[in-house]
Amino acid sequence: MTHAQTHRMTQAGNGSAVGNGSAEGPGYSSPEGPGYSSPGWPGPGGRAAEAGVAVTTDGLPAWLDPVARAARSVQPQQLSRFLPPESGAGRQSAVLVLFGEGERGPELLLMERSGTLRSHAGQPSFPGGALDPEDGDQATTGPLRAALREAEEETGLDPRGVQLFGVLPRLYIPVSSFVVTPVLGWWRAPSPVGVVDPAETARVFTVPVADLTDPANRATAIHPSGHSGPAFLVESALVWGFTAGVIDRIVHYAGWERPWDRARQVPLDWRA
């Protein structure tokens, strides 16, 4: 992404109407709003604990301002028509939506799950996973710690170089009963990343935001079950499902979305 493109992204975000209307999302949502914050409570051992769990927008690059604004104001109904169970059922988890700046400008960190896993084999995803007891309160800072801890375990990321700047409403994945908190991060001090456990992860890679907003890389994924949702064909990968849904909504509410052909379909098979 060129400097001019980055400037246009920032300008577009300034005019986005995040709080208006409703949009069909990836198929999950939450009754909780964004806004987790902490002065930095002590956490479990490891570098994730040293990173702290404060949420702040201080020092963010200008191109991330629209994402931070969206996180503060987006409503659950604007992300999805599905809400987590009112009973509180569901397995609490978190993912790290980590933005960095690479050779081609703004980028997003993703990983590809191992093809030998029993569920979601071979799917690109954000780093993340279920909350552990040592992560703390699931209603406050637990998801923040879990997102950083899982990212470290899966990619080797040094969480001390990550600045958390926002939290999206909790999202629900009915097929797996996961209640997922997307935690937004700025890769302030990049560190080496790669596959830590080949049994779980096939590769770790970054995707330029310019590629995610390029209409040529966008499509609608169609599952044999009848489910359809946004998809991205980037870095030799098909990003679909939960991850693509989150990216799609961020791109939309940040004002970065460009018109794309929603009639362009990519069929999935039953193993997906």
Side-chain angles (χ1 to χ4, degrees), residues 230-247:
F232 301 83
L233 295 94
V234 290
E235 300 297 320
S236 303
L238 172 63
V239 183
W240 66 282
F242 174 89
T243 303
V246 172
I247 295 172

Side-chain angles (χ1 to χ4, degrees), residues 139-270:
T140 56
T141 57
L144 308 182
R145 291 194 183 95
L148 291 172
R149 175 182 53 76
E150 287 283 344
E152 180 180 0
E153 293 175 359
E154 294 177 331
T155 73
L157 169 81
D158 187 344
R160 292 172 297 187
V162 174
Q163 174 182 335
L164 303 182
F165 69 89
V167 181
L168 295 180
R170 286 187 178 128
L171 314 175
Y172 187 56
I173 307 178
V175 68
S176 60
S177 298
F178 271 95
V179 177
V180 187
T181 300
V183 179
L184 305 178
W186 158 237
W187 210 350
R188 178 175 43 79
S191 55
V193 292
V195 173
V196 175
D197 183 357
E200 293 191 1
T201 308
R203 64 172 173 145
V204 177
F205 60 102
T206 57
V207 181
V209 172
D211 288 352
L212 294 168
T213 59
D214 186 345
N217 297 331
R218 305 209 56 179
T220 298
I222 306 294
H223 193 274
S225 65
H227 169 80
S228 65
F232 301 83
L233 295 94
V234 290
E235 300 297 320
S236 303
L238 172 63
V239 183
W240 66 282
F242 174 89
T243 303
V246 172
I247 295 172
D248 173 76
R249 294 296 80 194
I250 290 175
V251 167
H252 175 77
Y253 285 113
W256 298 344
E257 188 173 35
R258 297 161 59 188
W260 58 282
D261 184 6
R262 298 175 187 273
R264 180 190 181 195
Q265 297 184 352
V266 177
L268 304 171
D269 61 36
W270 280 108

